[in-house]
């Protein structure tokens, strides 16, 4: 058995209570606070620790260690569910290999598989879905099947921040999580394979580099946005995502976004109005190791559109969306905000909102037509979709800062309101 048990406490044996098993969560104390909230609501809660980082952010509550390889995980989880009487699993995202396997085991065992993630609408929103999220959301499935109730034309949810947070504190927790894994893995978790595609020290070096040039980046973004605001030319937005994000890795186009620069710019040059501009916006958490500006500049020059492709590393997203005539992304949540504003939106990959009436469909093959005749979303379809998505999957909170505790408490109540 690959599961090694830590000492149990009396709380484990609470009669008649829901028994919640927590898997991997964010690199913060959010899952620890969630465990406390679940216990205060009368449930039992324990965690499976796969690495030192998981244990570091789980204080004074029952836990077990899983030190086996991925192939041994489903059988070990099935045994744990049976032994402990687990009624609920909760995990961050549905795409890590361990979590994909866990959701399959949970479904077969009649256990609720709770998936939590950053909100579909950010900041200060969190997502809670059962069984899967994004393209696998039950809201998307019911929209496709015509089972969502009628609603008034929709609009994007409130994007105002309501909780304070500290980037320095968030960064410190992320460093602690990752470095604890780097230095203890040979002893504590020799078979553990992290989900990140970039070695942590390389990631942090990129962030230090980005912070060093932050003032210059802010000035360039401000100047570009001022030019865009004054221009009356047709304008499109390409919203970049994080290459390490599972949205890209699992549900993308099978290639990194960098490989999309050439075909997207070639299509834009050949088929967009000759006076149209393409704004390419970096993800706020991109550390810019990928030389987006240079690669875009070179591809634009090859297509003779150097003055029509502008790279933005910053700026107010809603303001940009309101200004443009259409939005392109792989499957970013930016697309949700865009359809909420009534903007034509083309997802190149498999997106939560990739349905008729919501998005301009066609993927990469639909680019040429999109520049010429972008199809806007249908207002009542957007209303049905956004209203259901907000009511059923979104709640206020954050994984760190002031929003962590209220978010964990709300999630605990939401979880326990669902019946296995």
């Amino acid at each position: 058995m690959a599961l090694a048990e830590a000492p149990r406490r009396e709380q484990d044996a609470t009669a008649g209570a829901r028994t919640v098993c927590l898997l991997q969560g964010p690199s913060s104390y959010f899952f620890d606070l969630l465990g406390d909230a679940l216990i205060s609501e009368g449930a039992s809660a324990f965690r499976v620790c796969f690495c030192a980082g998981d244990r570091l952010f789980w204080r004074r509550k029952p836990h077990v260690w899983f030190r086996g390889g991925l192939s041994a995980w489903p059988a070990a989880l099935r045994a744990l569910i049976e032994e402990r009487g687990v009624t609920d699993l909760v995990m961050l995202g549905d795409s890590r290999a361990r979590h994909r396997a866990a959701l399959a085991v949970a479904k077969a065992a009649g256990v609720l598989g709770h998936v939590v993630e950053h909100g579909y609408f950010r900041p200060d929103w969190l997502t809670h879905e059962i069984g899967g999220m994004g393209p696998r959301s039950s809201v998307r499935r019911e929209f496709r099947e015509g089972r969502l109730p009628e609603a008034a034309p929709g609009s994007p949810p409130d994007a105002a921040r309501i909780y304070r947070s500290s980037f320095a504190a968030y960064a410190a927790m992320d460093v602690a999580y990752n470095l604890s894994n780097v230095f203890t893995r040979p002893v504590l978790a020799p078979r553990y394979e992290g989900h990140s595609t970039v070695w942590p020290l390389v990631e942090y070096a990129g962030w230090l580099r980005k912070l060093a040039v932050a003032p210059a980046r802010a000035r360039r973004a401000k100047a570009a946005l001022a030019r865009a605001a004054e221009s009356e030319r047709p304008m499109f937005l390409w919203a970049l995502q994080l290459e390490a994000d599972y949205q890209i890795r699992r549900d993308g186009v099978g290639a990194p976004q960098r490989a999309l620069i050439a075909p997207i710019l070639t299509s834009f040059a050949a088929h967009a109005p000759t006076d149209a501009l393409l704004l390419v916006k970096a993800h706020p958490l991109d550390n810019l190791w990928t030389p987006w500006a240079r690669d875009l500049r070179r591809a634009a020059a090859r297509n003779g559109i150097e003055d029509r492709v502008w790279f933005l590393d910053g700026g107010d997203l809603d303001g940009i969306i309101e200004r443009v005539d259409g939005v392109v992304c792989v499957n970013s949540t930016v697309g949700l905000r865009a359809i909420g504003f009534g903007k034509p939106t083309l997802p190149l990959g498999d997106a939560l909102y990739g349905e008729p009436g919501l998005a301009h469909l066609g993927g990469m093959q639909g680019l040429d037509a999109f520049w010429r005749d972008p199809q806007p979303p249908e207002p009542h379809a957007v209303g049905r979709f956004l209203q259901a998505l907000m009511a059923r999957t979104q709640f206020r909170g954050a994984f760190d800062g002031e929003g962590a505790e209220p978010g964990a408490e709300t999630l605990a109540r939401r979880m326990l309101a669902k019946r296995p």
Side-chain angles (χ1 to χ4, degrees):
M1 175 65 66
L3 286 164
E5 187 159 10
R8 291 201 189 192
R9 310 234 176 161
E10 287 299 317
Q11 178 267 333
D12 270 321
T14 303
R18 295 271 282 276
T19 300
V20 182
C21 174
L22 294 91
L23 304 181
Q24 290 198 290
S27 53
S28 72
Y29 284 105
F30 182 81
F31 266 28
D32 183 70
L33 294 168
L34 176 59
D36 291 339
L38 288 164
I39 292 168
S40 71
E41 293 286 336
S44 298
F46 72 98
R47 185 168 187 175
V48 177
C49 295
F50 298 90
C51 60
D54 295 340
R55 181 69 184 92
L56 180 66
F57 291 105
W58 184 252
R59 300 171 290 191
R60 303 181 302 279
K61 287 181 286 294
H63 62 280
V64 298
W65 280 91
F66 177 76
R67 295 190 173 94
L70 182 60
S71 62
W73 168 235
L77 180 59
R78 282 192 290 269
L80 185 65
I81 288 172
E82 183 175 351
E83 175 193 341
R84 293 289 190 95
V86 172
T87 58
D88 302 75
L89 293 177
V90 59
M91 63 205 75
L92 178 68
D94 67 350
S95 293
R96 299 185 189 191
R98 297 173 194 83
H99 292 173
R100 292 172 73 169
L103 287 170
V105 170
K107 183 176 181 180
V111 169
L112 286 179
H114 303 269
V115 180
V116 61
E117 250 296 1
H118 288 292
Y120 291 137
F121 308 98
R122 303 176 190 176
D124 292 347
W125 292 93
L126 294 175
T127 296
H128 170 224
E129 296 232 42
I130 302 294
M133 61 175 296
R136 292 159 292 283
S137 171
S138 61
V139 176
R140 182 190 186 186
R141 182 172 62 252
E142 292 181 23
F143 177 85
R144 181 187 302 139
E145 296 169 354
R147 293 194 285 128
L148 295 183
E150 289 295 324
S155 60
D158 184 7
R161 285 194 174 276
I162 62 173
Y163 300 116
R164 289 181 299 177
S165 62
S166 164
F167 178 79
Y170 168 80
M173 288 187 289
D174 190 73
V175 169
Y177 182 91
N178 285 299
L179 293 190
S180 66
N181 294 337
V182 168
F183 293 120
T184 67
R185 177 178 168 182
V187 176
L188 292 180
R191 296 183 181 88
Y192 176 72
E193 294 182 4
H195 58 278
S196 177
T197 59
V198 181
W199 198 50
L201 294 181
V202 174
E203 181 79 10
Y204 300 146
W207 271 104
L208 291 173
R209 172 176 169 270
K210 183 172 180 175
L211 289 172
V213 297
R217 291 188 300 104
R219 286 194 297 271
R220 287 194 295 269
K222 184 177 180 179
L225 289 172
R227 290 169 60 200
E230 294 171 358
S231 175
E232 296 182 357
R233 298 164 68 176
M235 203 171 295
F236 294 87
L237 170 67
W238 175 15
L240 296 174
Q241 296 166 240
L242 296 176
E243 291 290 6
D245 194 324
Y246 272 112
Q247 285 193 109
I248 293 285
R249 292 157 63 183
R250 183 177 184 182
D251 303 312
V253 298
Q257 291 172 107
R258 196 173 181 183
L260 302 181
I261 292 176
I264 288 178
L265 265 61
T266 298
S267 173
F268 183 79
H271 297 281
T274 55
D275 60 340
L277 299 174
L278 178 61
L279 309 182
V280 184
K281 188 178 186 303
H283 189 281
L285 296 180
D286 193 323
N287 62 20
L288 300 186
W289 273 126
T290 300
W292 296 113
R294 186 198 68 189
D295 288 0
L296 287 163
R297 186 167 56 250
R298 290 176 176 176
R302 286 194 296 271
N303 286 281
I305 53 172
E306 301 98 313
D307 62 335
R308 295 172 55 199
V309 179
W310 299 358
F311 178 67
L312 303 176
D313 181 22
D316 172 49
L317 177 62
D318 282 358
I320 296 170
I321 292 174
E322 288 185 290
R323 171 61 186 85
V324 300
D325 299 282
V327 175
V328 174
C329 58
V330 175
N331 47 21
S332 172
T333 53
V334 169
L336 282 174
R337 296 207 68 76
I339 67 171
F341 279 110
K343 298 295 181 176
T345 302
L346 173 64
L348 304 177
D350 192 8
L352 167 68
Y353 46 87
E355 295 293 331
L358 300 178
H360 182 122
L361 302 180
M364 290 294 294
Q365 291 70 39
L367 269 173
D368 296 352
F370 183 74
W371 309 125
R372 295 191 301 265
D373 185 24
Q375 297 300 304
E378 197 278 312
H380 284 278
V382 172
R384 288 197 303 276
F385 187 75
L386 291 185
Q387 181 172 294
L389 198 66
M390 285 298 300
R392 289 169 45 179
T393 75
Q394 302 299 285
F395 63 100
R396 282 293 199 177
F399 288 147
D400 63 283
E402 290 182 346
E405 187 169 357
E409 292 171 351
T410 300
L411 177 58
R413 292 191 294 271
R414 288 175 62 100
M415 289 174 58
L416 297 178
K418 303 289 184 180
R419 293 299 172 190

